Amino acid sequence: MHLPLTLAGRLPAASPDNARLLKRGERLLEPDVYVTCLHDVPTVMKDYGRYRRTMLAPVARLLVRREARTLRRLRGWAHAPVLLGIVGGLALAMEFVPGQPLGTEAQVDDETFRRLRGAVAHLHANGITHNDLHPANVMVDGDRVVLLDFTASLRLPRWMRNAPLLRELRRGDLANAFKIEQRLTGRAPGEYLSTVLADPRWVTAVRDGWKRLYRRLRSR
Ligand SMILES: Nc1ncnc2c1ncn2[C@@H]1O[C@H](COP(=O)(O)OP(=O)(O)OP(=O)(O)O)[C@@H](O)[C@H]1O
Ligand SMILES: [Mg+2]
């Protein structure tokens, strides 16, 4: 899909009233995601507007800017939505990708999984990790596999790309791609791949600690 890049930077304010809701933001710092029409182009808005005039507004703005920065870097790549711009600081506007989230179609063919792994490998080759790969963040539109939701993505400068943390994040992305495949096909990766993709013990410890802290914070 080709969108006029000149749209970026001068987007009109979108009104959620004439929009189709894709996902309502319910948890902390989750945006409302809806499809609307800007300049006659179907557009997805990721909108953190409910945080306007709250203490969390700067964090929401930061999330919007981070995701926009990643999408800007990926412009021209078929496996990410085209960035259209930022609206009012708290909403990200991007190309609407038609199709279905991965796994909602009864049968997913091997080629789709191959494209998904290829897309993840391409991201990594460009120094970017996604960090939130799960079926709802992967759209399948015929032959096109599109990764969505780059809020948690990370890009480090070239000289840091072999840092243990980044290697872990790359491994995590690949492990998630294989987990998706296993969940949807029932096919487990071979023994060697399973060993390579398994979490090292220190990662499991850090992640479990973080989950406990996160749950405690949310239950307050
Ligand atoms: N560009 C797009 N085209 C089509 N559908 C989209 C697009 N972006 C998002 N969606 C749909 O909206 C859903 C929610 O979007 P997204 O994953 O970006 O938000 P989120 O998970 O709430 O965000 P976050 O993880 O940043 O809190 C996606 O799972 C997908 O179904
Ligand atoms: Mg998501």
Side-chain angles (χ1 to χ4, degrees):
M1 178 182 186
H2 295 285
L3 291 160
L5 296 184
T6 46
L7 277 178
R10 51 186 182 81
L11 295 171
S15 148
D17 301 337
N18 54 18
R20 178 164 62 88
L21 191 67
L22 294 173
K23 186 176 173 200
R24 182 175 303 287
E26 276 156 359
R27 295 190 306 179
L28 188 68
L29 283 169
E30 253 186 8
D32 288 332
V33 184
Y34 48 85
V35 194
T36 186
C37 238
L38 295 183
H39 297 293
D40 294 330
V41 179
T43 302
V44 168
M45 303 290 291
K46 233 176 133 167
D47 190 347
Y48 295 81
R50 66 196 164 108
Y51 289 105
R52 197 175 297 284
R53 284 185 279 278
T54 71
M55 272 167 55
L56 287 174
V59 186
R61 280 176 203 278
L62 187 73
L63 294 178
V64 170
R65 279 205 304 271
R66 285 192 80 248
E67 185 158 10
R69 198 180 314 135
T70 305
L71 291 183
R72 202 170 294 125
R73 281 186 194 285
L74 294 173
R75 183 164 269 162
W77 188 49
H79 302 286
V82 179
L83 171 74
L84 296 176
I86 293 178
V87 181
L90 286 171
L92 183 77
M94 67 184 127
E95 167 197 1
F96 168 68
V97 180
Q100 297 293 326
L102 186 59
T104 41
E105 298 274 302
Q107 192 81 29
V108 185
D109 62 2
D110 287 353
E111 193 54 27
T112 301
F113 293 118
R114 204 189 56 73
R115 287 196 183 104
L116 171 62
R117 290 196 299 272
V120 173
H122 177 94
L123 264 193
H124 292 176
N126 283 278
I128 299 172
T129 53
H130 184 282
N131 307 328
D132 192 18
L133 268 186
H134 56 79
N137 284 343
V138 181
M139 288 297 274
V140 182
D141 177 25
D143 284 351
R144 187 179 173 211
V145 170
V146 181
L147 308 183
L148 301 174
D149 200 354
F150 285 86
T151 324
S153 70
L154 189 70
R155 182 181 177 275
L156 291 181
R158 195 172 292 277
W159 62 271
M160 285 183 72
R161 290 196 186 156
N162 270 328
L165 172 69
L166 209 62
R167 258 187 283 149
E168 254 337 291
L169 294 177
R170 284 196 292 263
R171 198 195 47 72
D173 274 353
L174 282 175
N176 284 339
F178 278 103
K179 266 186 218 153
I180 295 174
E181 185 167 340
Q182 181 170 5
R183 197 183 323 155
L184 297 180
T185 63
R187 215 169 38 215
E191 200 178 322
Y192 172 71
L193 256 184
S194 303
T195 321
V196 174
L197 295 174
D199 285 340
R201 228 178 289 161
W202 71 268
V203 174
T204 313
V206 171
R207 203 188 32 225
D208 289 352
W210 165 246
K211 272 191 195 157
R212 273 198 299 277
L213 178 70
Y214 182 68
R215 266 190 226 122
R216 209 170 301 157
L217 288 173
R218 301 215 38 189
S219 62
R220 275 165 199 261

